[in-house]
């Protein structure tokens, strides 16, 4: 049989084994297991959650349920919009067709939100919808219709320009006026708009194309 000392050692060993299965130790072991094996526990900085959120946002933007970011209240286009020379020239036709309506609001809507119009018969630069509309309130009374005589088109990164000579026929009396023009177009709210427009009568005595 075992001596008293050996019995004491065995009793201590059994007690240690029993402690390993106490509820507190079991809870600690389970917590540690979850901590080391849980997928989210390895995501220390929330990268997986952020990636998932970005995937959801990109999916919504793709189907149009989320509007693209805006700048100064206007939609900022995330993708560059390309344009051909033929399309640049057609922008003048859109503007000229707006003149034919006789409605200054329609004409003013062809200009960008932060435009600059330096008109032919006014000393005042027009830099917003209301001031552009105000200029055409008077100009449209002459029932003008224009055509480009000579023009030069340039296309850049997010902009396009059309400059040259145009001629207006005034429907009110049939008179004709030629002038120099420059248009700079920018892409805003899903359409090409006039960002800058300068118009001035040809200086007297200078031949066309000189």
């Amino acid at each position: 049989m075992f001596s008293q000392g050996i019995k004491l050692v065995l009793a201590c060993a059994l007690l240690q084994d029993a402690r390993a299965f106490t509820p507190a130790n079991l809870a600690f072991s389970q917590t540690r297991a979850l901590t080391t094996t849980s997928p989210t526990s390895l995501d220390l900085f929330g990268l997986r959650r952020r990636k998932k959120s970005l995937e959801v946002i990109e999916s919504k933007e793709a189907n149009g349920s989320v509007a693209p970011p805006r700048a100064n209240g206007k939609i900022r286009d995330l993708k560059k919009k390309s344009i051909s020379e033929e399309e640049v020239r057609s922008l003048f036709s859109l503007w000229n067709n707006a003149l034919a309506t006789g409605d200054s609001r329609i004409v003013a809507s062809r200009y960008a939100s932060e435009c600059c119009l330096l008109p032919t018969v006014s000393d005042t630069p027009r830099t917003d919808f209301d001031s552009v509309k105000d200029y055409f309130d008077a100009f449209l009374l002459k029932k003008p219709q224009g055509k480009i005589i000579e023009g030069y088109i340039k296309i850049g990164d997010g902009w396009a320009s059309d400059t040259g000579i145009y001629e207006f026929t005034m429907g009110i009396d049939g008179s004709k006026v030629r002038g120099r023009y420059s248009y700079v177009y920018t892409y805003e709210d899903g359409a090409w708009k006039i960002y800058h427009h300068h118009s001035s009568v040809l200086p007297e005595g200078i031949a066309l194309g000189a």
Side-chain angles (χ1 to χ4, degrees), residues 39-58:
T40 56
S41 67
L42 299 177
D43 187 15
L44 299 179
F45 301 100
L47 296 178
R48 290 177 180 170
R49 290 189 293 274
R50 282 199 288 269
K51 182 179 179 182
K52 184 65 176 177
S53 297
L54 288 173
E55 289 174 351
V56 171
I57 291 173
E58 289 172 354

Side-chain angles (χ1 to χ4, degrees), residues 164-185:
I165 307 296
Y166 55 15
E167 180 181 82
F168 286 96
T169 299
M170 305 303 172
I172 193 171
D173 58 10
S175 62
K176 296 181 182 294
V177 178
R178 285 191 177 186
R180 297 174 291 186
Y181 75 85
S182 61
Y183 293 95
V184 177
Y185 300 100

Side-chain angles (χ1 to χ4, degrees), residues 30-98:
Q30 292 172 353
T31 301
R32 184 172 59 184
L34 287 173
T35 302
T36 56
T37 60
S38 172
T40 56
S41 67
L42 299 177
D43 187 15
L44 299 179
F45 301 100
L47 296 178
R48 290 177 180 170
R49 290 189 293 274
R50 282 199 288 269
K51 182 179 179 182
K52 184 65 176 177
S53 297
L54 288 173
E55 289 174 351
V56 171
I57 291 173
E58 289 172 354
S59 175
K60 289 182 177 179
E61 286 184 347
N63 63 33
S65 59
V66 173
R70 290 175 173 262
N72 298 326
K74 295 295 178 180
I75 293 178
R76 176 170 56 84
D77 297 286
L78 300 179
K79 296 182 180 180
K80 295 177 182 177
K81 177 68 175 177
S82 60
I83 190 171
S84 66
E85 290 191 6
E86 183 179 358
E87 289 171 329
V88 173
R89 182 52 52 81
S90 71
L91 295 175
F92 174 81
S93 297
L94 289 176
W95 180 80
N96 197 42
N97 291 340

